[in-house]
Every structure is written in C-alpha cells, then in structure tokens.
Amino acid sequence: MIFYGNGVSKGIAIGEVFLYQPVLPAPQQAHYEGDAAPFLEQYEQFCAQARGQLQSLRDQMAKSDPEKAAIFSAQMELLCDEVMEEEIRDAIQYDAWMPGWAVESVYSRYEQRLQKAKDPFIRERAADLRDVKGRLLRICYGIPEQSLASLEKPVIIAAHDLLPSDTAVMDRAHVLGIVTEIGGATSHSAIIARSYEIPAVLGVPSLLSQLSAGEKVILDAVDGVLISQPEPHQEAAMRQKQEAYRQQAAQIKKYLHKQPLTADGTRIEIGLNIGSASPQELEGSAVTDFVGLFRTEFLYMDSDHMPTEEEQLAQYQKALLEYAPRPVVLRTLDIGGDKTLPYFSLPQEQNPFLGERAIRLCFAHPELLRTQLRAALRASTAGQLWIMLPMVGSIEDIRQAKALLEQAKQELREEGLPFDEDVRLGVMIEIPALAVIADLVAQEVDFASIGTNDLCQYLLAVDRMNPAVSRYYQSYHPALFRLIGNAVQQFNQAGKPVCVCGELGGDPLAAPVLVGLGLRKLSMSLSSVAAVKRALAGFTLKQMEEMARAVMGITGSQAQAYLQRCAESLEAENSETN
Ligand code: PEP
Ligand code: MG
C-alpha cells in the first residue's frame, strides 16, 4: 500500500514500524462534593510532580543537548503560567470541578487559541501545551509514560504527531525515519527531524489505523511516500535510490561551509533568501555572504493585521543585526497576484498578475509603503540596509518610489529619529521592459536583482501558477538567458551590483550559466546553497562562459539536456577523484 505525505526532511529509510501511540487520558466533566481544599491540594501535588519530571528531563538533556533542554525549560514556564494556574484553581474551587477536568478544559482552551494563530511558529507551540497537559493528566490518572527514550532496535516511528518531549528524549541512534499523521514543514517534528537528519514524511492522514506494529515499510522522504509491505522489487529499487541519495547528499554537504569559488578561483557571493527574521530562517548566516532577498510580504501574510511600524522595525533589526556589516536586501511589500492578505481587500481584477500588484499597489495605497519605509529606515542603523522595489516597469516608477523614500527620510529627520543616510535603493528586474532598458535603469538605482520567477512568466507569457501551462514555463529558454545577459552586462558596465534572487539563482544546473553571463552574486534559499557552491566549483569561468554562449543559441529543452549532461560529467569526474 502506498501513502502520500510531505517529505519535510529528505532521505530514505527501510525498516520496521514502531507504532507510537502514547495513552492520553481523556477526562470527562466531573464534579466533587464537599470541601475544595483536598482537591486544590491534589492539583498542587500533580504540578509539583510534573515540575520534578520536567526538571530532571531538562538536567538530563542539558549535558548532551542544551538546545533541546530549552524545550523543557519552556514547558516548565507553561506549567507555572500564572493565568492558567489561576483559572484551574478557580474552576476547582468555585465550580467544584475535579482537577483532571479543570486541567483538561483550561489547557485545551489555550491550545485552541494558539492553533488559530496566523504565525505557523506560534501555532506549533500548541504542541508544547498539549505535551504539558498530557504529562499532568497522566500523573493525575496514574498512567505510566510511553517513551521513545529506549528503543530496542532501529525502527521507523509512526505516530499521530510527535510532541517536543517525545523528540527530545528520542533514542536517535535507533530512529531510521519518522512518519506522522499531522504536521507540515514548520512543525516541531519537521524541525527536529531536519536537525537530526532523520528522513521524515509528515501529514499522512489516517495512517495509524492502516499500519501494524513491526511490519516492514519503505519511507521515501525524497518524494514524500510511504510504502507498506513492499514487494521485493520495490525494496531493491529503493535500496539503490537510497544509496545514490546518500552518496550525492554526502558529496553536496561537503560544500556547505566552503567558500563559493569557481574551479579557477573566482569568488562568487552567495546570498540567502528569507521570509522572516526567525532564528530558523537566519540559520544560513554562517554560510552565506548577505541576505539577497527578504520577502517582507510574509510578515504581512503571517499577521492578522497590517504590521505596525514598530512590529516591522523589530523584525528588520533582527535580520540586519545578524548579518551586520554584510548587506540585507529588504524587498518592499510584494502583495497581489497569488499573494493576498486576509485583512486587506485587493481590487478584483481579471489578470491580477498584470494588475495592481506590488509597487503598483503601494503607489495606490501610499500609507502602506510609508509605514514600511519608515520601519526599514529606522532599522537601517542596525546594519547595512539595501531597499529593493518589486514589479518596477519604468523609470517613472523608480522616481515615484524615490520621492516616497525621500518623504519618509524627511519625516524621520524632522522627528529626530536616526537612520542611515546612505541606504541603497534598488529594483527587482522582473518585468522584461526593465531588463531591456537596463542601461537607463542602472543610472537611476544603486543595484538590481533579477527575479527570474516573474521575469520568465512575463517574458514567455505563461502564468507561473497555472499547472495547465507549466510546460510552456521554460526556465532555460534562450530568450530568458539573453535578457538576463543584457541586464547583467549593463549593470556591470555601470559598476553597479546585480544579483539573481529568483529560483534560477539556486538551481545548480543554471548557476554556472549565470556566472558565465557575468553575474558574481546569486541569492537562494538555504537548502540550495551547498549544491550551488558545488556546481560553481566544478567549472572554470571560461567553461561557464562557454555554457552561457551555448544555451543562448539552442532551445529551452535542448538547454536543459545540455546542462544535465554538463552536471553528469562533473558527477563522473567527482566520483573518479573521490
Ligand atoms: C521572482 O519573481 O523571481 C522573485 C524572486 O520574486 P517572487 O518569487 O517572490 O515573486
Ligand atoms: Mg517576483
């Protein structure tokens, strides 16, 4: 049987299932009669026991893994949360609720509130509440804890969900893989699985009722698939895939912390694309040179209101401080097209991708841009800020945005609020017209970054979101390479920085071509950094220029096959030298 889910931590595992179904008491509404004092006393005792357990788990982890120990510190804080404690005591004292029922209802109410949060990271913290509640209730009903701390043999854990306390004590040496019924890429289990490099497929509905303990399964977290009771030929094929994946991953990983150099020693700058200033997102700081794209719209999309100047300021400062003195390229609000805000109604348009999107929407609602620019400028004292405008189509657009930036600066000057007067202003090149007049644009701005995702969609007239036309969306189309080449040449001639921050920049097949076209800066998500560094190390500048010339003169599909061959010959060379 084949199950499909979300492969959130890549890899392949083959082994026996360990069904992890800890017993969670489900108290019913129950009242006591008589005096409240002994029941309040009971509740205090449960809390004291739970505190003791958490404390010893924390101390146990503090030596081996201080980061995971922090999970238990955070859970101790939840356990001692004054507001929840008071509500539970009140329910016992004034409503005559049994302690178990009082714990169940108060914790569940707060858990539901957290689950409704827009921010996925806050939502995931509901797992900690559930965890603490489970501990308290097990103590209350005298139910022993089922633990992943000592597994007898290597297994693939199948669970509804894994709570922070489960993964913290998990006997990692015996965990081949993880599969759960709920959870997504930002869930606690996913973060832990990735940090332990355990293959994980999450979000497989009704999984547990269809698996038996001890049965053999294949967990393919590369493609997000679980195969139960595999046929011998499926297992043999998967073992081959597993070996190839292991070898490739090991090779690629070696490059993560290396300097990004071409085979003949030219240094390429690698930027990081981020969507927030969370610690998880900023993890790539150690292996990248700058933030090449801060998609600030995610800040707006993860909020249930328009983020205030202060809220934005705090986020921007975090990213700038982390990278200082290296630049952080902050893209102004890019809403419209496929990105919407629940609390802000966008115009109803027949072609939203060609409509009032991004900078155009900001021009129509200047107060949006004003707040953002003020926050960005105020954050600029924390590091080196570059401000970038999305969806710019003309020199007039740039001048209009410049005027708004100048207004925001003037306001701050008058209010005596400090900012960096030398903040750079640049544009995304994602409307083809801007790439065509790149020589004029380069005179107008301090830098540019090429958004190949949109540039490709507008150049080839293919909706990037519509699967029906996805085959027309040719990332290796010669027109796209020629256009990028023109923009890069103009910016290089003007001595102004130019980067690629669309997906093409993080594509190991395309990265050498982009360098061959004259780019010396590429920005990408962290998961692409090692593979791109490795691809760059494989070719000399001359070879990359040759590759660029080649792909500009053949069709998109020929270019794909050609670049694939270049990568394969590199692969063959690498395996000979290793
Ligand atoms: C792009 O268009 O290439 C880009 C980086 O912007 P986004 O993908 O956010 O539209
Ligand atoms: Mg774009």
Side-chain angles (χ1 to χ4, degrees), residues 331 334 339 357 428 430 451 453-454 464:
R331 178 172 77 182
D334 185 6
K339 298 175 198 150
R357 193 194 148 184
M428 291 214 53
E430 43 191 357
N453 308 339
D454 277 316
R464 71 191 249 202

Side-chain angles (χ1 to χ4, degrees), residues 242-253 534 571:
Q242 185 182 37
E243 190 44 39
Y245 179 79
R246 270 197 201 131
Q247 282 182 13
Q248 200 190 21
Q251 284 304 322
I252 290 174
K253 214 171 140 192
R534 180 169 181 253
E571 206 70 55

Side-chain angles (χ1 to χ4, degrees), residues 273 293 295 297-298 331 334 338-339 353 357 388 390-391 428-430 449-458 464 473 500-504:
N273 290 357
L293 174 63
R295 288 184 162 100
E297 60 275 12
F298 285 101
R331 178 172 77 182
D334 185 6
D338 58 322
K339 298 175 198 150
F353 271 110
R357 193 194 148 184
M388 180 160 72
M391 274 291 286
M428 291 214 53
I429 296 186
E430 43 191 357
S449 192
I450 305 177
T452 50
N453 308 339
D454 277 316
L455 188 61
C456 183
Q457 111 164 319
Y458 295 129
R464 71 191 249 202
Y473 187 94
V500 164
C501 64
E503 290 304 304
L504 211 58

Side-chain angles (χ1 to χ4, degrees), residues 214-231:
E215 77 173 290
K216 191 182 227 182
V217 291
I218 293 174
L219 183 79
D220 175 1
V222 176
D223 288 323
V225 172
L226 179 87
I227 306 173
S228 67
Q229 297 174 350
E231 300 287 336

Side-chain angles (χ1 to χ4, degrees), residues 263-278:
D264 51 342
T266 301
R267 177 74 163 77
I268 307 299
E269 282 183 65
I270 301 290
L272 185 69
N273 290 357
I274 58 174
S276 82
S278 71

